[in-house]
Amino acid sequence: MMTEIFITVLNMSLTASYCIAIVILLRFLLKKQPKILSYLLWSVVLFRMLCPFSFTSSFSLLPMNAEIALQEHLTERQTAKNVLEHDMNAGTVQKPEEQSGVGGAAPAEQSGRGLVSGAQTVLTACAWIWLAGAGMFVFYGVFSAYRLKKFLHKAVCVEANIYEAEKISSPFVFGILRPRIYLPAGLTAQEREYVVEHERVHAARKDYLVKILAWFARCIHWFNPLAWLFFALLENDMEMSCDEAVIGRLGMEAKENYSRALLSLSCDKIGVGGCPPAFGEGSVKDRVRNVLIYRRRASVVVAAFAVILIVMIAGLALNPAGRKLGDEEAEELLRLGEKDQFVNDYANAWCIRNGENLVKFYIDEDTALRCVPMMEKEDGVYTYGFSSPWPYEFWRTMPTGEGKDEGTSEIRYYAWTSDPHVSVWKEEITFSKTDSGASDGVEPHSGYRVTDSKLTYYDNIASETEYMDAYWGDGAYHFVDYVENGFVEAINFQTADDMENGGTDRNAVYRNPETAAEYMMNLTGGKGTVQTASNGTAIVEYTFADGSSVLIPMMDVNFEGRTGNSQQDEMEEDGQTGTQRAANNEVWILDLDAWNAGAP
């Protein structure tokens, strides 16, 4: 959940950054125009920073729909979630406690969750860092506002809604529902006239609310330098436009004395995270210069720029509409989703090992009995007799096929044995749409049925080509996590049992990285050699008989000096100390952290 929120914020920040850049450019072009135009331009940035959604239109000044940025990660996670929810609701997923064997996690849950990549881990960490930073800024702002409010209890009301307080250096508006104007003690009559007029403009325009929203937006996007620039420039334009409004009311002859009041009452920040609007805040030098050169523009010119302003705000507030799909394209996308869901549910049926359910995915009983290894029917009950290995997790390709109502897909099953050990099966299936409907209980893919399937066992991988075919797909590495699924715990338990009872070490193959890599990856016909080794990690180069080779990063999970490793941390959470792990001897497994980081 936190990662999804963070990705949404990143998308909002990306869009807002583009809008900030455009507004800064327009602000430069409007340099000689009334500052109210520049001030109003920031409204679209504020909208983009605070609103997680937007409307789409064929008219948009955005180069792309930034809401789709980083969306691939979200889509994958949501798809996995939907798949799991569907299978749970359909009753096709066993609860962990209902399954036998090591690990105890449901196959569909494992396949839906997938192998946690390094990028996802970093993203999750960044999400929590972002939340901590935002929380810190919000807390500081709220606490500062509370302190200021407590201090202002001593202020004295001098006239309606205007209060005078000691030890404040500049006038300001403070409050939300009932904002009040606070003045420092000792102002001259002329200074009081100017600052009260200035603060009344702020109050009438609700600038105090705008500034609070802008401050909150900066807290949310604190990691984005442009968010800080946005706040500073918005504050400057707010004050300058307010100055111009005051001069417009008091007359041009007041510019010189008003500028002197600005200089005498200039101040540092009030200290509430940039709130509230204060008379002497902002770049006083720029404000004085702007006041002195200010002159009324012709109404026609201001109106023309206002129209342009409205067009620019609308263009930046609207997302570009994507190309409208034709009816056939829309139907094909819908059908592709149905096909992919069908393949996913078919693979789940394999992992759950319910023969009755699996037969329903085939076009007829004869095809199922022919295609599914060891499938039998006895006394009206379908069974298929794999006791070990057990297909535990799977990864599938997106269905392809020229026909609209047919498709093909490949599924990699990662099947484990009680050794424990993982082998790989590749199933190639062909399916098509029939008129059988949904009455046979296969939901929600009424009509799709497997017409043929072929299973290949990658238990003796003898070349780099076979190796890549078994473990790589869509640019990502796929394998079962030995720690997450309890295999390391089982190995250590078995080793301790062997040592106590004086038996043969049944897991000796895991004692060095060369034999462990060959065994775990189901390699044969070649030889592994350690290329580099350091602090419980090693890189094994396995050279096949045909001369091809692969690099396999390995790690000793029982290495006592290992620190900062997520797999080891999980073991420590289970109560195993470094000494206890070391007592179980070396256990070399795949270094998934290295794989997920893209090496080798």
Side-chain angles (χ1 to χ4, degrees):
M1 181 63 179
M2 184 54 60
T3 304
E4 281 81 354
I5 294 174
F6 180 56
I7 290 177
T8 300
V9 171
L10 286 179
N11 276 306
M12 293 164 61
S13 204
L14 176 65
T15 308
S17 296
Y18 177 81
C19 293
I20 290 172
I22 296 298
V23 170
I24 290 175
L25 175 62
L26 293 174
R27 187 174 176 271
F28 176 78
L29 297 176
L30 293 171
K31 188 174 183 179
K32 295 183 179 181
Q33 301 307 315
K35 297 305 178 185
I36 188 65
L37 299 177
S38 300
Y39 178 42
L40 291 176
L41 268 175
W42 292 114
S43 62
V44 70
V45 176
L46 191 58
F47 168 75
R48 284 298 190 177
M49 295 179 78
L50 293 177
C51 187
F53 60 86
S54 179
F55 300 101
T56 59
S57 171
S58 56
F59 170 72
S60 175
L61 296 179
L62 296 179
M64 58 173 284
N65 187 347
E67 287 186 356
I68 67 173
L70 300 178
Q71 204 65 21
E72 181 178 350
H73 172 82
L74 269 178
T75 301
E76 290 175 352
R77 290 175 64 94
Q78 189 61 41
T79 299
K81 178 182 176 183
N82 291 342
V83 167
L84 179 58
E85 288 178 351
H86 161 69
D87 293 329
M88 291 291 286
N89 293 335
T92 58
V93 176
Q94 291 171 293
K95 296 179 181 179
E97 60 269 20
E98 295 173 347
Q99 298 190 47
S100 61
V102 180
E109 184 178 0
Q110 292 290 343
S111 62
R113 181 176 57 207
L115 299 175
V116 180
S117 68
Q120 289 173 326
T121 302
V122 170
L123 194 59
T124 301
C126 288
W128 286 106
I129 293 173
W130 161 76
L131 182 63
M136 179 185 68
F137 284 113
V138 170
F139 174 79
Y140 172 75
V142 173
F143 178 71
S144 299
Y146 170 76
R147 278 199 315 176
L148 180 59
K149 182 178 180 180
K150 190 175 181 179
F151 170 78
L152 292 175
H153 279 309
K154 302 176 183 179
V156 177
C157 182
V158 293
E159 60 180 277
N161 207 42
I162 299 177
Y163 290 74
E164 193 173 85
E166 299 287 345
K167 298 181 181 179
I168 62 173
S169 57
S170 183
F172 56 86
V173 178
F174 185 70
I176 297 178
L177 298 179
R178 292 190 296 272
R180 296 174 176 177
I181 297 174
Y182 291 90
L183 308 177
L187 293 179
T188 66
Q190 189 177 66
E191 287 175 338
R192 179 186 293 268
E193 178 187 5
Y194 292 152
V195 299
V196 168
E197 192 67 31
H198 181 95
E199 300 306 333
R200 280 174 174 167
V201 171
H202 275 316
R205 299 192 316 191
K206 310 298 182 185
D207 285 344
Y208 56 93
L209 295 179
V210 173
K211 203 164 184 182
I212 290 174
L213 290 175
W215 164 80
F216 184 66
R218 188 182 66 177
C219 291
I220 295 175
H221 301 271
W222 62 268
F223 56 88
N224 187 347
L226 288 178
W228 295 79
L229 180 61
F230 146 76
F231 186 84
L233 294 178
L234 176 141
E235 179 184 62
N236 212 37
D237 290 342
M238 174 190 291
E239 295 299 335
M240 285 187 179
S241 64
C242 190
D243 293 336
E244 291 176 351
V246 173
I247 296 300
R249 293 184 181 186
L250 299 179
M252 295 299 168
E253 63 277 5
K255 291 196 295 184
E256 184 175 345
N257 290 331
Y258 186 84
S259 298
R260 288 196 181 97
L262 272 177
L263 289 173
S264 65
L265 295 172
S266 62
C267 68
D268 296 326
K269 298 295 182 186
I270 296 300
V272 192
C275 300
F279 178 78
E281 281 192 336
S283 176
V284 174
K285 181 180 178 181
D286 291 340
R287 289 176 61 187
V288 170
R289 184 186 297 113
N290 185 67
V291 167
L292 293 177
I293 66 173
Y294 172 73
R295 61 184 178 85
R296 289 188 177 91
R297 267 58 173 186
S299 299
V300 175
V301 174
V302 175
F305 276 105
V307 171
I308 296 174
L309 179 73
I310 293 172
V311 172
M312 297 301 297
I313 290 177
L316 293 175
L318 296 170
N319 287 341
R323 181 178 65 88
K324 187 176 181 179
L325 297 176
D327 292 340
E328 290 187 3
E329 290 178 301
E331 289 179 7
E332 184 59 29
L333 285 176
L334 178 61
R335 189 176 294 109
L336 184 60
E338 291 178 348
K339 289 179 180 179
D340 188 51
Q341 188 70 49
F342 173 77
V343 174
N344 181 84
D345 284 1
Y346 171 79
N348 266 336
W350 259 94
C351 292
I352 294 169
R353 297 171 52 129
N354 185 319
E356 186 76 24
N357 188 41
L358 186 60
V359 170
K360 294 178 181 179
F361 281 88
Y362 279 83
I363 195 168
D364 53 45
E365 179 186 273
D366 292 340
T367 304
L369 293 173
R370 173 177 57 85
C371 292
V372 180
M374 301 181 68
M375 173 70 80
E376 296 179 354
K377 181 180 181 181
E378 185 175 349
D379 297 330
V381 177
Y382 298 99
T383 61
Y384 60 110
F386 287 110
S387 60
S388 182
W390 178 302
Y392 191 67
E393 299 181 8
F394 65 84
W395 168 80
R396 65 192 186 280
T397 63
M398 183 64 72
T400 59
E402 295 182 2
K404 293 183 178 180
D405 296 328
E406 61 187 25
T408 61
S409 182
E410 292 182 357
I411 305 170
R412 305 295 191 281
Y413 299 101
Y414 298 92
W416 59 268
T417 65
S418 57
D419 294 358
H421 176 59
V422 178
S423 58
V424 185
W425 303 347
K426 179 177 79 172
E427 186 178 24
E428 301 166 87
I429 67 171
T430 301
F431 57 92
S432 63
K433 202 163 190 176
T434 69
D435 297 327
S436 60
S439 59
D440 55 7
V442 179
E443 296 284 0
H445 327 288
S446 56
Y448 286 110
R449 297 295 181 271
V450 176
T451 57
D452 194 19
S453 67
K454 175 186 176 183
L455 200 63
T456 302
Y457 301 93
Y458 279 113
D459 49 2
N460 289 288
I461 297 174
S463 68
E464 180 186 7
T465 301
E466 291 184 354
Y467 176 89
M468 297 297 290
D469 193 39
Y471 301 117
W472 287 87
D474 291 339
Y477 172 75
H478 303 276
F479 195 75
V480 173
D481 189 323
Y482 262 49
V483 173
E484 181 179 343
N485 291 295
F487 293 168
V488 171
E489 182 181 356
I491 293 170
N492 283 335
F493 176 81
Q494 291 172 358
T495 301
D497 183 66
D498 292 341
M499 294 171 64
E500 290 176 5
N501 297 308
T504 303
D505 184 1
R506 74 190 86 171
N507 291 307
V509 69
Y510 292 103
R511 302 304 173 221
N512 67 73
E514 303 98 309
T515 57
E518 183 177 44
Y519 180 65
M520 290 181 65
M521 306 302 287
N522 304 288
L523 310 181
T524 187
K527 183 178 180 181
T529 56
V530 174
Q531 297 298 307
T532 61
S534 175
N535 295 326
T537 62
I539 300 293
V540 174
E541 180 178 19
Y542 191 88
T543 304
F544 296 100
D546 64 1
S548 61
S549 63
V550 293
L551 296 177
I552 307 172
M554 304 291 291
M555 62 176 287
D556 175 11
V557 288
N558 288 345
F559 180 67
E560 189 171 5
R562 182 177 304 284
T563 59
N565 184 284
S566 61
Q567 300 184 45
Q568 180 204 12
D569 293 341
E570 290 182 34
M571 295 180 67
E572 290 177 347
E573 289 176 4
D574 291 336
Q576 288 195 66
T577 66
T579 302
Q580 288 172 326
R581 293 197 307 274
N584 289 334
N585 299 316
E586 295 179 79
V587 174
W588 289 87
I589 64 170
L590 296 182
D591 188 348
L592 292 181
D593 288 340
W595 279 113
N596 294 331

